[in-house]
Amino acid sequence: MVKRKAARVPATHEPLSTRAEAYRRVQTNLSFADATTPARVLVVTSSVPGEGKSTTAINLASTFAESGSRVLLIDSDMRRPSIATVLGLEDAAGLTTALVGRSAMTDLVQRYGPGPLDVLPSDRSRRTRTSSSPRTPRGT
């Protein structure tokens, strides 16, 4: 299991950049959106590929961890998972492996960066099976 080379994450690797500061501003606004009941779960999604969901999720997770919050970043994109690749983490087993009961989630979570940021990647094996399996026509 070889780890990939990690890409540069502005919130972690370029902490003084304007992009990192923008993510910290969003993190602060989310933290205080409801001061009486802070959010424990945050979902980043969109209906179109390529809009920056993974980039936003990674950087927000990094800024929350940087501020001292315990963070578990879960890559649940089964079609085009990218979080493990961007962060240079292993993706041979992950979310699908945990969901089907082949491994405990605690065995699949990987630590990233200096803060308390844990990552549960999507499975490379799941991605391979999905992309190579023949499509079944509807109505059969």
Side-chain angles (χ1 to χ4, degrees), residues 18-88:
T18 55
R19 289 178 61 197
E21 185 57 35
Y23 285 114
R24 279 192 291 279
R25 195 170 317 131
V26 172
Q27 179 263 329
T28 300
N29 289 335
L30 290 170
S31 295
F32 295 107
D34 184 356
T36 59
T37 314
R40 294 182 48 92
V41 176
L42 179 64
V43 177
V44 179
T45 187
S46 89
S47 60
V48 183
E51 288 190 322
K53 297 175 290 292
S54 296
T55 301
T56 300
I58 290 167
N59 281 285
L60 283 177
S62 294
T63 58
F64 273 100
E66 177 185 275
S67 72
S69 297
R70 287 180 49 208
V71 178
L72 175 61
L73 175 60
I74 301 173
D75 187 354
S76 58
D77 187 341
M78 300 296 182
R79 292 186 181 165
R80 293 182 185 93
S82 62
I83 290 175
T85 302
V86 170
L87 298 180

Side-chain angles (χ1 to χ4, degrees), residues 114-132:
L117 173 56
D118 292 318
V119 180
L120 179 61
S122 187
D123 299 39
R124 177 181 54 215
S125 58
R126 168 74 177 142
R127 182 172 60 242
T128 302
R129 282 194 306 271
T130 302
S131 62
S132 64

